[in-house]
Amino acid sequence: MSNQAIGNSEIGISSMFNYIQEGFRLALTPECRLYVIIPILINIVVLSAGGYLLFTVIYSFLESYVNALPEFLSALAYLIQLILFLSIGFVFVYIFSMVAIIIASPFYGLLAEKAESLIRGENALDGDEGFAAIIKDVPRILKRELQKLGFYLPRLLVCVVISFIPVVNLLAPFAWFLLAAWMIGIQYVDYSYDNHKIPFKQMRQELSHQRLATFTFGALISLGMSIPVLNLLLPPAAVCAGARYYVEMQKRFSIDSVMR
């Protein structure tokens, strides 16, 4: 295959399975292990707190909401309750996952750097390493996470509104899944982009050239996040898989630039 063909071709869906598999392998290497353990502990604490809140507070709210429905919707009460529970549950899992991601983001940034160095066979970045680098980069990393939240929240709000409109909310689980797949795809690739100081807008533009691949990447991670225990181990592996995706993206954009 010529360089031009490589540069212009879509990354295959099957590659996303390979990237995630490689992500697990990279996350277990001695170089990455330290930056995996701490985020896992953070995920356990935050998701446990979120699960307790979900099942103690949200259930009573759903009971009140369903009881207030018009009589002609009473036949659909259980279905509406189930859909609302899944939708709100997804919101809470997403919100608490985002909280855990924001807290762990400095470690994820270093994890992405270590994974990229292993993939390239050389140092991905010049500069400080270890916890000194984490402390130094915390303000920049948190600013980037807030930038992503600003991009996510308006779209999140649309899905929340859909979830509370009778009949229309039957489509809510699909809307949530589509949103989560795209946002999570962006989230886990962005650590490597941020390490290289590539602006958030440019990152989104580059990923838009591989929409199907990015959506598939995010969808696989979203499905994995719904599985207990795996949802604790998957985020670090997804960061490493995102680093692999980043390296492939930059290789293709470099080829395109040369051909132009």
Side-chain angles (χ1 to χ4, degrees):
M1 183 181 292
S2 69
N3 281 352
Q4 188 173 9
I6 293 172
N8 293 332
S9 65
E10 290 283 336
I11 298 177
I13 292 176
S14 61
S15 297
M16 298 302 106
F17 291 89
N18 296 332
Y19 292 173
I20 292 174
Q21 183 179 7
E22 185 177 355
F24 276 103
R25 180 184 63 78
L26 288 168
L28 295 175
T29 59
E31 293 86 350
C32 296
R33 205 170 293 153
L34 175 64
Y35 306 109
V36 169
I37 293 172
I38 296 175
I40 286 177
L41 294 176
I42 292 171
N43 284 337
I44 290 173
V45 172
V46 174
L47 292 179
S48 297
Y52 176 79
L53 182 62
L54 175 65
F55 287 101
T56 55
V57 176
I58 302 305
Y59 186 77
S60 60
F61 167 76
L62 287 178
E63 287 285 341
S64 302
Y65 179 80
V66 171
N67 291 336
L69 287 174
E71 187 175 346
F72 72 92
L73 289 176
S74 59
L76 296 174
Y78 290 107
L79 179 59
I80 291 173
Q81 187 175 27
L82 175 61
I83 290 172
L84 278 175
F85 183 80
L86 291 175
S87 298
I88 296 174
F90 192 92
V91 173
F92 267 74
V93 169
Y94 184 80
I95 289 173
F96 279 93
S97 295
M98 289 301 299
V99 170
I101 285 171
I102 290 172
I103 295 172
S105 56
F107 297 96
Y108 283 151
L110 270 178
L111 176 59
E113 179 186 341
K114 295 293 183 183
E116 186 182 341
S117 296
L118 291 173
I119 293 165
R120 294 184 184 276
E122 58 185 18
N123 287 336
L125 300 170
D126 296 325
D128 298 331
E129 294 186 356
F131 288 97
I134 291 178
I135 295 171
K136 187 174 96 173
D137 280 348
V138 163
R140 177 182 59 80
I141 292 170
L142 292 180
K143 181 181 178 181
R144 183 77 164 210
E145 292 301 321
L146 291 174
Q147 203 174 4
K148 281 185 272 191
L149 277 177
F151 179 72
Y152 298 162
L153 288 178
R155 294 156 179 81
L156 189 71
L157 182 60
V158 171
C159 287
V160 170
V161 171
I162 290 174
S163 299
F164 285 92
I165 301 175
V167 182
V168 177
N169 58 14
L170 297 176
L171 300 174
F174 301 101
W176 280 113
F177 180 74
L178 292 172
L179 176 67
W182 183 251
M183 296 306 180
I184 288 176
I186 288 176
Q187 178 70 44
Y188 286 105
V189 179
D190 185 55
Y191 292 110
S192 294
Y193 274 92
D194 186 36
N195 282 342
H196 290 274
K197 312 296 191 297
I198 297 174
F200 183 64
K201 183 178 180 180
Q202 181 180 336
M203 179 271 299
R204 289 193 290 112
Q205 289 173 342
E206 292 190 8
L207 291 182
S208 69
H209 291 284
Q210 299 287 347
R211 289 185 185 276
L212 184 58
T214 303
F215 176 81
T216 302
F217 180 66
L220 291 172
I221 297 171
S222 296
L223 292 172
M225 291 290 286
S226 66
I227 302 173
V229 181
L230 182 61
N231 61 3
L232 300 175
L233 304 175
L234 186 56
V239 172
C240 296
R244 179 66 181 83
Y245 190 10
Y246 167 81
V247 170
E248 182 63 24
M249 286 286 291
Q250 296 311 301
K251 184 192 303 181
R252 288 167 186 256
F253 273 98
S254 295
I255 291 172
D256 279 341
S257 297
V258 170
M259 296 307 297
R260 282 196 295 270

